[in-house]
């Protein structure tokens, strides 16, 4: 994780004069036996770092614990409430505004952080200043560009997409045996009620065996291209 956390100094940011900050939001939750609890944080940080580098933006350190209550019955998972995450994001944005950075791109690496959509909606009532990224269309395009074999519905947690990103950007975090963890559960109508334990015993929903470093690189390239439209909205608002 050290390589994914900004090492910039105050002098660096003074020279940069960025008008948009990039905030990775991950989680600390189970990802089966062969992926780290920090998987979503690593994913969000890889995307945020790529976008910040490509567009010369102010990269913030990641939020590493968020709303993972659907994983509560699996070892290692730690969560905060939606209200706490809401408050943290709002406090960060207010601090950025006070320091002269009016725009915020929130890079979300965990699908269970539903409250982030409400944060963004409320923040933009007086004009476009905050964006949530990647959105569904960005992920869909990235999957197509990278040639992923599984769909977003099939590849819900710890599967092809996440393993590919980690193999590309942090391969040392993927433990031997991940290719044996494939598990299918495409229909999950009661996920919010039953949690992940209602649909998977090994903590995975997807096909990690399909993940490759090459796909991970292509995913990041596509997501960086997609970020341009979001940044245009923020900077022209």
């Amino acid at each position: 994780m050290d390589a994914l956390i900004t090492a910039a100094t105050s002098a660096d940011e003074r020279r940069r004069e960025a008008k948009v900050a990039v905030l990775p939001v991950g989680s600390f939750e189970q990802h089966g036996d062969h992926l780290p609890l920090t998987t979503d944080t690593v994913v969000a940080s890889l995307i945020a770092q790529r976008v910040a580098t490509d567009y010369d933006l102010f990269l913030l350190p990641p939020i590493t614990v968020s709303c993972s209550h659907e994983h509560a019955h699996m070892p290692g998972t730690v969560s905060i409430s939606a209200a706490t995450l809401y408050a943290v994001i709002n406090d960060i944005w207010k601090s950025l505004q006070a320091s002269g950075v009016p725009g915020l791109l929130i890079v979300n690496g965990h699908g269970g952080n539903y409250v982030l959509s409400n944060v963004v909606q409320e923040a933009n009532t007086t004009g476009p200043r905050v964006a949530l990224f990647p959105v569904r269309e960005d992920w869909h395009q990235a999957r197509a560009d990278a040639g992923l074999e599984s769909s977003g519905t099939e590849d819900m947690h710890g599967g092809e997409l996440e393993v590919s990103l980690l193999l590309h950007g942090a391969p040392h975090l993927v433990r031997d045996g991940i290719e044996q963890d494939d598990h299918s559960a495409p229909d999950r109508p009661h996920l919010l009620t039953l949690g992940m334990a209602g649909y998977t015993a090994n903590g995975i929903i997807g096909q990690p065996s399909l993940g490759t470093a090459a796909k991970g690189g292509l995913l990041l390239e596509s997501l960086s291209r997609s970020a341009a439209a979001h940044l245009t909205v923020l900077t022209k608002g």
Side-chain angles (χ1 to χ4, degrees), residues 18-204:
K19 296 304 179 185
V20 176
V22 184
L23 175 64
V25 181
S27 71
F28 195 77
E29 65 186 38
Q30 72 80 27
H31 276 76
D33 291 343
H34 300 103
L35 295 177
L37 296 164
T38 58
T39 292
D40 288 345
T41 298
V42 175
V43 166
S45 295
L46 286 168
I47 298 168
Q49 185 181 73
R50 177 62 183 265
V51 171
T53 298
D54 287 354
Y55 297 96
D56 198 26
L57 305 176
F58 179 19
L59 178 62
L60 299 173
I63 293 175
T64 58
V65 180
S66 60
C67 304
S68 301
H69 303 90
E70 71 274 27
H71 300 271
H73 299 295
M74 297 183 177
T77 299
V78 178
S79 292
I80 58 177
S81 71
T84 298
L85 182 58
Y86 176 99
V88 169
I89 298 292
N90 269 289
D91 283 353
I92 290 171
W93 182 49
K94 290 176 182 177
S95 179
L96 287 167
Q97 290 178 294
S99 65
V101 183
L104 176 62
L105 184 73
I106 302 171
V107 177
N108 181 34
H110 172 49
N113 288 332
Y114 307 111
V115 70
L116 295 179
S117 296
N118 297 113
V119 172
V120 172
Q121 287 176 323
E122 293 180 25
N124 292 321
T125 55
T126 59
R129 291 291 180 268
V130 181
L132 185 60
F133 178 78
V135 296
R136 182 180 305 171
E137 292 81 2
D138 302 320
W139 284 122
H140 181 76
Q141 186 63 55
R143 286 180 176 276
D145 290 344
L148 266 60
E149 300 176 51
S150 56
S151 69
T153 299
E154 298 166 326
D155 189 35
M156 182 245 186
H157 187 72
E160 182 181 13
L161 185 145
E162 291 186 327
V163 168
S164 293
L165 286 169
L166 263 64
L167 286 174
H168 172 76
H172 61 289
L173 296 179
V174 181
R175 297 191 183 185
D176 293 340
I178 187 65
E179 62 279 353
Q180 307 300 322
D181 287 347
D182 290 6
H183 175 72
S184 178
D187 298 316
R188 305 176 294 273
H190 307 295
L191 180 64
L192 295 179
T193 303
L194 299 176
M196 286 287 289
Y199 295 95
T200 174
N202 72 351
I204 301 295

